[in-house]
Amino acid sequence: MTTLQDTKKSSGNGGSAGNGGKDGRAISLSSRQWLGPVIALVLVIIVNGIISPAFFNVKVVDGHLYGSLVDIVHRGASTALVAVGMAIVIGTRGIDLSVGSVIAISGAVMAVLIRDTSLSPAIIILAALGAGILCGLWNGILVAFLDIQPIIATLILMVAGRGIAQMITDGQIVTFHGAFFEAIGSGYLVGVPWRVIIAAIVIAGLWAVMRKTALGLFVEAVGGNARASRLAGIDARGIKVLAYVISGFCSAVAGIIIAADIRGADANNAGLWLELDAILAVVVGGASLMGGRFYLGLTVIGVLIIQALGTGILLSGLPSQYTLIVKAAVVMIVLLVQAPKARQMMGNFWRRRNRNGQ
Amino acid sequence: EMIIGFSQIGSESGWRTSETASIKAEAEKRGIDLKFSDAQQKQENQIKAVRSFIAQGVDGILLAPVVETGWDQVLKEAKDAGIPVVLVDRGVAADKSLYLTKVASDFVQEGALAASWLAAKTNGVCDLVELQGTVGSSAANDRKAGFQSIVDNFPNMKILRSQSGDFTRSGGKEVMESFLKAENGGKNICAVYAHNDDMALGAVQAIKEAGLEPGKDILIVSIDGVPDIFKAMADGDTNASIELNPHLGAPAFDAIKASMDGKDVPKWIKANGPLYLPDTAAEEYKKRSGS
Amino acid sequence: MADRAQTVLSARGVGKFFPGVKALQDVDFSLNSGEIHALLGENGAGKSTLIKVITGVHPRDAGTVTLDGREIHPGHPGEAQQLGISTVFQEVNLVPTLSVAENLMLERQTRKFGLISWKKTAEDARQALKTLGLDIDINRALGSYSVAIQQLVAIARAVALDARVLILDEPTASLDADEIRTLFGIMRALKAKGLGIVFVTHFLDQVYEVTDRITVLRNGRLVGTFETAQLPQIDLINHMLGRELAEISSHRHHASDTPKDRGNRIQIKNLGKKRVLKPVSLELSGGEIVGLAGLLGSGRTELAELVFGAHRADSGLVFLDDKPVLLRSPRQAIRAGFGLCPEDRKQDGIVPELGVRENIALALQGRRGWLRPIPRADQDKFADDMIAALGIATPDREKPVGQLSGGNQQKVILARWLVSKPVFLILDEPTRGIDVGAHADIIKLIRDLCDEGLALLVASSELEEIVAFADRVAVLRDRELATELSGAEITQNNIIEAIAR
Amino acid sequence: MVNERYYPLLATLAVCALLYGYGMFEYRAFSDTYVLGNLLTDNAFLIITAIGMTFVILSGGIDLSVGSMIAFVGVLMAELVTGFGMHPLLAVLISLVFGGLFGAFMGFIIAKFDIQPFIITLAGMFFLRGMCFLINLDSVPITHDFVSAFAGFRIPLPGRGWLSASAMVMLASVLIGLVIAHYTRFGRNVYAIGGDRQSAQLLGIPVERTLIQVYTLSGVFSALAGVVFAFYTASAYPLAAVGVELDAIAAVVIGGTLLTGGMGFVAGTFFGGIIMGVIQTLIAFDGSLNSWWTKIVIGGLLFGFIVLQRLITRSFSGMRAGAS
Ligand SMILES: Nc1ncnc2c1ncn2[C@@H]1O[C@H](COP(=O)(O)OP(=O)(O)OP(=O)(O)O)[C@@H](O)[C@H]1O
Ligand SMILES: Nc1ncnc2c1ncn2[C@@H]1O[C@H](COP(=O)(O)OP(=O)(O)OP(=O)(O)O)[C@@H](O)[C@H]1O
Ligand SMILES: [Mg+2]
Ligand SMILES: [Mg+2]
């Protein structure tokens, strides 16, 4: 049963003073926002299980968790980081196409420093993160201060950034060794992959900063109506810059993880087309590209849906040429099921049927 | 001084960057003014570049075509302008009179060579998995076809699974991880055939992380001969790699020179690389990483 | 006339539900040809919703609508237009990026051989504006004009459509007396031609001036339809509110005798900007309310924006208690304790996706900075207090503001500034679209704040409002301060004289 | 004085002229009509795509499926002409109809269900690319007399250059785009919807229908671009035109169209496409940039132009203000 319509008792609509607001528990759409993505995720996972019964096997190999389910989280960690940064940018009514290039740049900085210097890992990581933050700063300034439209502003770095990364690595995959970095890529802490822990920490930290301070509100206000926010005393430009900086930072962390994973910086291919998956995840998680609202938790679920889908396709043994079609179809279905308009239509349809049935 | 235009596909892999570097170095050595254009993986950009070379009246053009078809028109224009075109590292499906020569190896043959080696190594009994290159790319198509043509002759050789790892290291690793899971933790898999070395290197890590020993529990054969694969072979992680020769500058320039001198040039200057095995790997690695 | 009248448009048993809100329930409404019919009710009563249901913006959940006796089911406003229902919706609903001419002629450009003839179209556009006596450059983007001009263009467009029924949802909200007179002239002429006109407003004297009948809605239900001539104003108000209106004290507010003691002395000295506003000097102190009067485009909004730092002034300074205030951005103004409730609530006011609570907390939070979030409990309390004090009609405090009725959006923005406790508040057309009941509440609230030492500058096109509560009135003319009136000088006639001189 | 709404267009024109002038100044061969003819020919498919994209962007949307559409139409044509022996013109017709239908389908979902165009067309992009792989994994020639005649057709220009059939199709498309944008109700409605969708709806514009038409139009234009591309290379390749959607968007934006919708010009898109082409040509003429510098320079030039355009637009406004 859909209960989209009116769940309150018919006490009028609070037209007279003092009546509204007290009864704040009326179920609004937003409180059920999580339903669609979670159902979609469960469905994809169930289908995976049907395709490949081994899918649900999780066992302990060499003292760490091992299995397809673990793989989804493991592989999804870097995409989730990028997507969460993307969600915040989208919250300000922006978009960041440069994340893939930022991943390449931070990975390249890290690999080259490891290869050519004997700096301590902490400094190398800081340098890689710094590179990502600089990239974000550049995007933010273009968008907020030069008023360049976000798609184009970040397209610039998307194109040039990969060139910069290639320049740093000389167009070769720079391989490196070192226990510390290998652990980041494929090490475990009490059976849980380090990269998952890192991603979880960063995402939880961002969630706290966004939701436990007023920053999240500011981001959403700026995305909803930048002019009005400015007039309400919010530094709209600053908030925009900050959003891109956060996105740059998240991409840099992802870049570090990705490079550590293959023990090399692949400037040519690292993070290629990842921006599309990240944006997809944000939208599958229920946010609007028109800004004004963002959901970090649902974005992560969106990432897991996409990752589970990819893993499912690989497990199914379906020839590679079908991958894109399946992906397109599933994304389409998930979006349609989630779209409020479509739900509304289905709701109407059900009500009509029930009415006729009675 | 000779002016030669070089339209390169892009810089999508370390191998291609080496090829570019090698051709540039060769040009410098010979005092050739090389006009380089990177097409960012797009045929239309390559056509633009070739036309720009024609407009500038260069003495010759090197073209590393991103795809095999669609060159007739622009090659005709070059021919009309009297500019010889040398295809490097890949061929085109155009009339042979439209270009001077092709300096390239044969992808199909590479695939066949890999399969032959594997068949010999396993006495024709092997269930293997394949890491394909980018779907639709000619290198992936041909390396797959060549390999398959040999496997078809061995009833006890079977390709269990074949997925695209997009020619990248992380792609190879991710796909291999799922193969291992789908094939009983890797116990069903006798060998991996990777369309390039980078994917093989990714697979090595996936196999290690699954608790198996690459090169022993699962044999690995790949193509390209990038420096890192020699290290891996020397360490015993992979078993064979077929080199794709990146040093195509010298034969290409020679061909242009020869045709200017009015000499005949063969239509296909084969540049196939050999199959390398672990025994020479350490030495080869030293050679390649040293230079 | 009434007996020969014939029903053109009628709605029976109309219902409309939004999640959590019964916006309309079993509403009947009928409109005769050749009449002007007022549709009245509090903010959120369902007036705009009824109009939107009739014109096909929202699908209706129950009931029938007939036009000339035939049932109609317009799927979108375009179809309603084709059927002969021409509408000016609440808020300006034109396209700011298009030129004035294009806005006027959208979907009805003159075509030759299937292609638009721009020359003819421009002529028609000019013609349409002429009926309203509006002389502006029709090739400029509509967005470059003030809200009032945009409102007039929207009316011109609706009037120019050859319609059977004309619906005007608060068309007079941002117009001044002259324009309203022109509009009424046009309405009467159309009525004489046999059109049926639906007219929504919160100005009761306008209702008595032009309408023939009145339909009152309350909480989404029909209260009744009445002959205007037979309904005393006090009864009308009771019908609308469903209670007696607390008496509005009509005598003017007086600033305390010694305003200087209160602090919060604001001095505006030679504040000006080239091509926008000639230097203006004005002083006001805590507890004082200064009205800002002037014609359309006289520069009231500009002055407000300069004082608030929304635009940077070329010349002049603003002092607070003799200390100059840096006004490079609204943020700095807000830090100094200034507030501005903007004129254009859609563009500059609401953040539509955010809820009522968040919108109300925004300015206060902006002042505190992001590091010191207002605790949720406080936010809830602020929101609930304001919802109660201003009578904001909303099912709960989390409802996205974009889904509130126009008047309630205005209340939310006002609430935003009230909770931020400014020392100097500028209100630009603060009561636009606010119903009579709330109007009184708001004026009372503002007075209370002034008694606590707030200095208030109110720009308004409603002279009564200014007369009702201003201690002094500054009159702007042609982007220049013309005169100041104070004390007994403040009468509607004096202000009109000063404006029009 | 020119209406201020045309400043971005003038700015684009100025940038284009500046860039071309630089080329002529720097390289002797650049002033040859051969280069001009090549520019028109080589960028024909991009500009045709970008015209369709202009309408989408004007309506406030975006269409990411265009690149895949180009590839798919090529593969489809190859299959029809080479596989089924169909006459190319019939195959063209089928392709255009397919493009329109596919666009209409995406538009339908975008308009009816209110789902973001970015995502729907992204799914469309995946889907069409996937369809290419299903039909054909290889690059294949399209051999037919008509195709070679089209590819070989040329009207000589003074100098060494010529106008190719592709270029003429492109110029015709620009004209058609101009007429649709500025002289039809549909065109003006697109501007209105992009300017303020809600208001447009209230003003009586059939928003849903218009949006469906916009994506249909984009589908047809990108299919036409696919046809031109297939004829231009006389071949089909499932990986063709990867990333062309971004080039098209860049061309539209460089042409002075606002991505937020409601403001922009088809003529600007034409020059935007030419600017993109001139950048490529200049880099090829220079021939000294290595792979990574090529990327960095393209990004840098993109940045430079957008900033330059801003400055020019602003100084136009300044001039006007001074005059009045
Ligand atoms: N799109 C919407 N979604 C949800 N609720 C809505 C929507 N539009 C209107 N409502 C609700 O319907 C009720 C009636 O609103 P309506 O706009 O009709 O009021 P109104 O009488 O026009 O008030 P005002 O005088 O303030 O304009 C309000 O409670 C409002 O919150
Ligand atoms: N009659 C007019 N003709 C041309 N432009 C006008 C006219 N009236 C206003 N404008 C434009 O509208 C803009 C807004 O004017 P402004 O906000 O100062 O008016 P106001 O005094 O606040 O009156 P209101 O708020 O009632 O419109 C001005 O920048 C001006 O360009
Ligand atoms: Mg209303
Ligand atoms: Mg004003």
Side-chain angles (χ1 to χ4, degrees):
Chain A
M1 271 299 292
T2 45
T3 42
L4 271 180
Q5 302 301 332
D6 187 55
T7 49
K8 272 182 69 178
K9 280 206 224 99
S10 54
S11 61
N13 58 11
S16 50
N19 186 5
K22 296 287 183 242
D23 180 0
R25 274 177 301 169
I27 296 171
S28 60
L29 265 180
S30 59
S31 63
R32 276 188 285 158
Q33 190 93 37
W34 53 270
L35 212 60
V38 170
I39 291 177
L41 177 60
V42 170
L43 283 182
V44 172
I45 286 182
I46 288 175
V47 171
N48 281 357
I50 294 171
I51 290 171
S52 155
F55 181 78
F56 291 112
N57 293 351
V58 175
K59 50 189 176 188
V60 176
V61 174
D62 290 348
H64 60 75
L65 297 172
Y66 182 88
S68 291
L69 280 175
V70 182
D71 269 5
I72 291 175
V73 183
H74 191 231
R75 286 283 146 211
S78 50
T79 316
L81 278 166
V82 176
V84 161
M86 184 73 79
I88 294 170
V89 169
I90 287 176
T92 67
R93 198 177 288 201
I95 202 157
D96 189 351
L97 296 184
S98 72
V99 289
S101 294
V102 176
I103 285 173
I105 290 177
S106 62
V109 167
M110 176 173 105
V112 168
L113 287 181
I114 298 173
R115 185 190 62 188
D116 297 346
T117 70
S118 51
L119 294 170
S120 80
I123 292 179
I124 291 175
I125 298 259
L126 280 182
L129 293 178
I133 288 172
L134 267 181
C135 289
L137 200 61
W138 161 264
N139 282 333
I141 289 173
L142 258 50
V143 171
F145 288 91
L146 298 184
D147 260 339
I148 300 180
Q149 305 172 45
I151 288 198
I152 292 297
T154 54
L155 179 66
I156 292 170
L157 190 61
M158 175 184 178
V159 175
R162 200 159 286 281
I164 293 171
Q166 288 178 338
M167 185 169 70
I168 297 172
T169 61
D170 244 358
Q172 297 294 345
I173 298 181
V174 176
T175 31
F176 54 78
H177 296 278
F180 179 82
F181 293 100
E182 284 172 19
I184 292 180
S186 41
Y188 295 82
L189 180 70
V190 287
V192 183
W194 262 115
R195 54 196 287 177
V196 174
I197 296 173
I198 293 172
I201 290 174
V202 171
I203 293 171
L206 273 179
W207 181 84
V209 170
M210 285 294 150
R211 296 302 177 197
K212 293 292 151 191
T213 73
L215 211 51
L217 175 67
F218 286 4
V219 165
E220 292 180 337
V222 169
N225 187 345
R227 264 172 76 169
S229 311
R230 189 174 97 94
L231 288 175
I234 294 169
D235 180 6
R237 287 180 165 166
I239 295 289
K240 282 188 191 170
V241 172
L242 184 70
Y244 287 92
V245 167
I246 289 174
S247 175
F249 170 80
C250 288
S251 305
V253 179
I256 291 170
I257 288 179
I258 289 173
D261 179 36
I262 60 166
R263 275 142 226 182
D266 186 352
N268 311 315
N269 295 301
L272 203 60
W273 306 121
L274 195 63
E275 60 279 355
L276 295 183
D277 273 348
I279 295 168
L280 211 55
V282 174
V283 174
V284 166
S288 156
L289 287 178
M290 294 309 290
R293 280 292 184 199
F294 67 89
Y295 312 96
L296 298 186
L298 290 180
T299 298
V300 173
I301 293 194
V303 171
L304 293 179
I305 292 174
I306 293 169
Q307 197 63 45
L309 183 61
T311 305
I313 292 173
L314 286 180
L315 284 177
S316 69
L318 202 67
S320 295
Q321 53 263 42
Y322 292 95
T323 309
L324 283 174
I325 292 186
V326 174
K327 190 166 172 181
V330 173
V331 164
M332 202 74 154
I333 292 168
V334 172
L335 287 175
L336 276 179
V337 169
Q338 273 211 63
K341 260 267 191 70
R343 282 205 234 170
Q344 210 172 306
M345 283 182 195
M346 285 207 307
N348 288 345
F349 178 73
W350 272 110
R351 266 188 299 137
R352 218 165 292 147
R353 270 197 45 174
N354 289 351
R355 210 176 292 159
N356 291 347
Q358 275 162 12
Chain B
E1 191 190 45
M2 206 158 57
I3 303 177
I4 287 183
F6 173 26
S7 170
Q8 175 62 291
I9 295 173
S11 56
E12 74 283 1
S13 67
W15 183 87
R16 194 155 295 285
T17 309
S18 306
E19 182 195 32
T20 305
S22 162
I23 290 177
K24 278 187 173 172
E26 186 66 28
E28 195 159 342
K29 205 165 81 188
R30 298 179 181 218
I32 292 171
D33 180 4
L34 190 75
K35 297 234 167 228
F36 175 76
S37 167
D38 178 311
Q40 322 277 331
Q41 274 74 42
K42 290 183 187 162
Q43 180 177 24
E44 59 270 26
N45 286 352
Q46 288 202 288
I47 296 177
K48 281 179 207 172
V50 171
R51 289 210 161 119
S52 301
F53 295 149
I54 297 172
Q56 284 175 289
V58 296
D59 300 309
I61 294 173
L62 303 193
L63 171 65
V66 62
V67 356
E68 288 182 2
T69 56
W71 302 100
D72 303 54
Q73 190 60 35
V74 68
L75 289 180
K76 224 174 271 166
E77 277 169 38
K79 193 179 176 195
D80 291 347
I83 301 172
V85 176
V86 175
L87 306 174
V88 291
D89 86 59
R90 291 183 192 184
V92 300
D95 193 279
K96 285 195 168 50
S97 69
L98 291 178
Y99 57 85
L100 178 62
T101 181
K102 167 170 93 170
V103 184
S105 55
D106 182 340
F107 292 147
V108 178
Q109 203 178 320
E110 288 169 352
L113 185 54
S116 311
W117 173 83
L118 193 62
K121 177 91 178 170
T122 61
N123 293 321
V125 186
C126 184
D127 286 344
L128 64 122
V129 295
E130 180 182 29
L131 297 173
Q132 298 176 37
T134 305
V135 177
S137 66
S138 65
N141 290 342
D142 292 353
R143 284 174 184 170
K144 185 172 171 57
F147 192 86
Q148 187 74 50
S149 68
I150 299 294
V151 168
D152 285 346
N153 300 326
F154 293 89
N156 291 325
M157 273 178 95
K158 202 170 93 201
I159 300 178
L160 292 173
R161 280 168 187 269
S162 175
Q163 292 280 0
S164 169
D166 276 324
F167 281 133
T168 68
R169 234 180 243 196
S170 56
K173 186 172 180 188
E174 180 172 358
V175 173
M176 194 64 210
E177 279 176 1
S178 75
F179 283 173
L180 290 168
K181 252 136 249 177
E183 296 297 340
N184 194 16
K187 294 193 189 70
N188 303 348
I189 302 172
C190 133
V192 177
Y193 164 49
H195 287 186
N196 79 348
D197 290 339
D198 283 331
M199 289 192 292
L201 291 169
V204 165
Q205 288 178 19
I207 294 170
K208 280 185 183 164
E209 284 165 23
L212 297 174
E213 223 177 307
K216 291 212 177 59
D217 298 333
I218 296 178
L219 302 176
I220 298 176
V221 53
S222 58
I223 302 174
D224 266 5
V226 300
D228 282 345
I229 201 76
F230 290 102
K231 174 138 197 335
M233 267 196 283
D235 295 346
D237 288 341
T238 74
N239 307 79
S241 176
I242 296 150
E243 185 182 40
L244 178 61
N245 183 1
H247 307 295
L248 305 177
F253 294 137
D254 284 346
I256 291 175
K257 192 91 202 340
S259 90
M260 284 171 121
D261 297 344
K263 284 184 212 148
D264 264 350
V265 179
K267 277 291 162 189
W268 186 352
I269 302 170
K270 293 219 177 179
N272 269 19
L275 180 112
Y276 285 95
L277 293 172
D279 49 357
T280 57
E283 202 179 313
E284 292 291 332
Y285 179 65
K286 212 179 287 163
K287 245 198 286 185
R288 281 153 218 260
S289 57
S291 67
Chain C
M1 189 172 66
D3 25 51
R4 273 192 293 122
Q6 174 189 346
T7 309
V8 260
L9 179 75
S10 85
R12 299 254 149 272
V14 171
K16 176 73 204 167
F17 313 102
F18 293 111
V21 177
K22 288 182 175 151
L24 289 178
Q25 264 181 295
D26 200 19
V27 171
D28 294 340
F29 175 77
S30 87
L31 176 72
N32 294 337
S33 62
E35 78 161 342
I36 301 179
H37 193 137
L39 184 59
L40 303 181
E42 284 182 298
N43 294 132
K47 306 178 293 293
S48 302
T49 305
L50 179 59
I51 291 168
K52 287 182 178 168
V53 165
I54 289 174
T55 51
V57 178
H58 295 315
R60 55 177 181 266
D61 296 327
T64 55
V65 175
T66 57
L67 182 71
D68 286 330
R70 252 194 311 260
E71 199 168 321
I72 55 168
H73 295 278
H76 61 84
E79 282 177 30
Q81 252 172 46
Q82 274 159 16
L83 291 168
I85 305 176
S86 167
T87 316
V88 176
F89 292 94
Q90 196 179 6
E91 313 287 340
V92 179
N93 281 296
L94 294 175
V95 182
T97 48
L98 292 184
S99 72
V100 174
E102 290 206 63
N103 269 294
L104 283 165
M105 304 304 293
L106 261 183
E107 274 287 280
R108 9 181 232 115
Q109 299 97 338
T110 323
R111 288 185 291 191
K112 261 189 210 147
F113 314 114
L115 298 182
I116 296 174
S117 155
W118 282 111
K119 225 175 104 200
K120 188 75 184 30
T121 301
E123 259 168 46
D124 293 347
R126 275 196 201 96
Q127 197 58 43
L129 286 183
K130 214 178 254 164
T131 52
L132 282 175
L134 202 56
D135 184 23
I136 52 175
D137 180 357
I138 59 166
N139 290 319
R140 267 179 63 187
L142 181 89
S144 64
Y145 290 102
S146 71
V147 180
I149 300 268
Q150 297 186 23
Q151 183 82 55
L152 287 172
V153 173
I155 294 170
R157 175 186 158 85
V159 167
L161 286 171
D162 219 2
R164 307 268 295 111
V165 172
L166 176 64
I167 303 178
L168 302 170
D169 194 351
E170 294 194 33
T172 56
S174 52
L175 302 187
D176 62 23
D178 267 347
E179 279 99 19
I180 291 172
R181 207 167 309 126
T182 316
L183 175 63
F184 285 178
I186 294 168
M187 282 165 65
R188 290 198 184 95
L190 292 174
K191 169 178 149 181
K193 272 181 25 190
L195 258 76
I197 301 176
V198 179
F199 178 52
V200 179
T201 183
H202 290 292
F203 300 104
L204 298 188
D205 38 355
Q206 292 177 3
V207 171
Y208 284 96
E209 193 179 334
V210 289
T211 67
D212 302 307
R213 286 198 298 163
I214 298 172
T215 292
V216 178
L217 298 181
R218 189 166 70 231
N219 282 350
R221 291 177 187 274
L222 178 70
V223 174
T225 300
F226 312 90
E227 295 284 329
T228 309
Q230 270 132 53
L231 185 68
Q233 179 155 347
I234 192 78
D235 291 352
L236 172 57
I237 292 176
N238 290 347
H239 283 313
M240 283 166 64
L241 304 188
R243 60 183 160 96
E244 303 275 319
L245 182 62
E247 198 188 327
I248 310 173
S249 52
S250 54
H251 55 85
R252 204 178 325 121
H253 170 73
H254 286 289
S256 64
D257 316 279
T258 51
K260 275 172 197 121
D261 301 344
R262 294 172 168 275
N264 296 346
R265 201 157 65 95
I266 313 291
Q267 289 167 290
I268 299 166
K269 286 194 180 155
N270 287 323
L271 197 67
K273 187 178 170 99
K274 245 198 356 233
R275 289 190 298 123
V276 170
L277 189 71
K278 293 181 193 139
V280 167
S281 296
L282 197 64
E283 248 188 71
L284 62 171
S285 47
E288 198 178 24
I289 304 179
V290 174
L292 208 52
L295 284 182
L296 249 184
S298 57
R300 290 166 296 177
T301 298
E302 263 89 352
L303 175 60
E305 287 175 349
L306 287 183
V307 175
F308 191 60
H311 299 297
R312 286 194 200 165
D314 303 334
S315 70
L317 280 176
V318 177
F319 296 86
L320 171 62
D321 290 334
D322 297 321
K323 284 191 287 291
V325 182
L326 202 58
L327 288 175
R328 295 163 57 81
S329 71
R331 211 148 69 97
Q332 288 174 329
I334 289 171
R335 290 261 158 86
F338 291 15
L340 168 70
C341 182
E343 171 180 38
D344 188 342
R345 64 167 168 253
K346 194 168 152 191
Q347 299 285 338
D348 297 333
I350 61 166
V351 183
E353 287 90 0
L354 293 185
V356 174
R357 168 181 59 83
E358 290 161 305
N359 264 287
I360 290 180
L362 206 57
L364 181 57
Q365 187 65 67
R367 189 159 147 194
R368 290 164 64 114
W370 64 274
L371 269 176
R372 293 195 300 136
I374 307 170
R376 181 61 183 265
D378 290 3
Q379 292 188 29
D380 288 350
K381 188 176 163 323
F382 286 141
D384 289 345
D385 287 353
M386 281 297 153
I387 287 170
L390 301 182
I392 300 173
T394 174
D396 65 291
R397 61 173 108 81
E398 300 303 324
K399 179 153 175 140
V401 165
Q403 294 176 7
L404 293 187
S405 79
N408 285 305
Q409 295 181 1
Q410 184 72 24
K411 292 179 190 171
V412 169
I413 300 172
L414 214 54
R416 175 189 296 169
W417 290 107
L418 296 181
V419 301
S420 82
K421 293 263 183 295
V423 297
F424 175 40
L425 184 57
I426 310 165
L427 304 176
D428 196 354
E429 310 283 359
T431 52
R432 177 137 72 91
I434 283 181
D435 64 49
V436 263
H439 206 178
D441 294 340
I442 288 172
I443 289 180
K444 185 169 171 311
L445 218 95
I446 287 174
R447 284 183 183 169
D448 291 348
L449 283 174
C450 286
D451 289 340
E452 288 168 28
L454 173 79
L456 193 67
L457 185 63
V458 183
S460 176
S461 303
E462 267 183 75
L463 294 186
E464 297 150 61
E465 187 172 282
I466 291 192
V467 171
F469 61 47
D471 300 309
R472 269 186 302 132
V473 177
V475 179
L476 290 183
R477 195 169 56 221
D478 284 342
R479 313 181 164 272
E480 195 172 9
L481 186 64
T483 35
E484 270 190 55
L485 307 171
S486 61
E489 293 167 4
I490 304 179
T491 64
Q492 286 208 29
N493 277 343
N494 281 352
I495 298 177
I496 290 174
E497 206 168 287
I499 287 176
R501 197 171 324 143
Chain D
M1 198 64 213
V2 198
N3 192 314
E4 59 191 315
R5 290 194 291 158
Y6 294 113
Y7 294 165
L9 182 58
L10 294 180
T12 305
L13 259 171
V15 168
C16 188
L18 217 70
L19 200 61
Y20 210 89
Y22 169 79
M24 299 214 285
F25 172 78
E26 197 71 10
Y27 306 101
R28 200 171 34 82
F30 215 90
S31 20
D32 199 324
T33 52
Y34 181 75
V35 172
L36 181 68
N38 286 348
L39 267 175
L40 296 177
T41 306
D42 295 337
N43 297 294
F45 79 98
L46 174 65
I47 293 175
I48 295 173
T49 314
I51 292 169
M53 184 74 82
T54 309
F55 285 93
V56 176
I57 291 181
L58 280 174
S59 79
I62 204 154
D63 187 352
L64 298 182
S65 71
V66 293
S68 300
M69 178 68 88
I70 292 173
F72 179 75
V73 163
V75 174
L76 182 68
M77 296 247 309
E79 190 66 17
L80 293 178
V81 173
T82 318
F84 291 86
M86 192 181 278
H87 189 277
L89 278 180
L90 187 56
V92 168
L93 195 70
I94 292 175
S95 300
L96 295 186
V97 169
F98 172 82
L101 286 178
F102 191 80
F105 172 69
M106 292 192 301
F108 176 82
I109 293 180
I110 291 165
K112 285 281 179 211
F113 298 104
D114 227 353
I115 307 183
Q116 332 250 323
F118 191 101
I119 296 299
I120 293 300
T121 57
L122 181 64
M125 162 179 159
F126 289 157
F127 181 79
L128 285 177
R129 190 68 69 182
M131 290 293 287
C132 293
F133 297 148
L134 284 197
I135 296 184
N136 197 337
L137 279 179
D138 280 317
S139 70
V140 287
I142 303 177
T143 38
H144 192 280
D145 289 347
F146 180 83
V147 176
S148 3
F150 183 96
F153 181 85
R154 47 185 64 180
I155 298 176
L157 295 174
R160 278 205 296 153
W162 69 80
L163 208 56
S164 68
S166 306
M168 284 184 282
V169 172
M170 182 268 285
L171 292 175
S173 306
V174 173
L175 274 182
I176 293 171
L178 277 171
V179 170
I180 295 179
H182 300 291
Y183 290 96
T184 66
R185 282 189 186 171
F186 163 75
R188 301 325 291 170
N189 289 352
V190 171
Y191 278 83
I193 292 173
D196 186 337
R197 177 168 170 175
Q198 202 190 343
S199 293
Q201 170 100 35
L202 294 181
L203 284 172
I205 290 171
V207 172
E208 289 183 359
R209 196 181 75 206
T210 307
L211 281 180
I212 294 174
Q213 287 168 342
V214 163
Y215 287 91
T216 309
L217 193 71
S218 174
V220 171
F221 270 109
S222 53
L224 180 63
V227 168
V228 167
F229 191 71
F231 280 5
Y232 165 66
T233 58
S235 71
Y237 179 45
L239 286 178
V242 170
V244 161
E245 54 282 348
L246 290 179
D247 290 344
I249 293 169
V252 172
V253 172
I254 292 179
T257 298
L258 274 186
L259 269 175
T260 40
M263 281 202 271
F265 319 89
V266 171
T269 298
F270 170 74
F271 289 106
I274 294 291
I275 289 177
M276 302 278 289
V278 174
I279 293 180
Q280 285 289 341
T281 310
L282 277 177
I283 289 176
F285 263 71
D286 174 71
S288 68
L289 295 177
N290 69 19
S291 296
W292 29 100
W293 274 110
T294 304
K295 292 193 174 86
I296 297 172
V297 166
I298 290 178
L301 285 176
L302 206 59
F303 170 68
F305 291 136
I306 288 167
V307 171
L308 192 63
Q309 202 189 36
R310 278 291 138 81
L311 292 179
I312 295 175
T313 312
R314 219 171 270 170
S315 72
F316 273 136
S317 326
M319 266 157 51
R320 198 192 74 106
S324 69

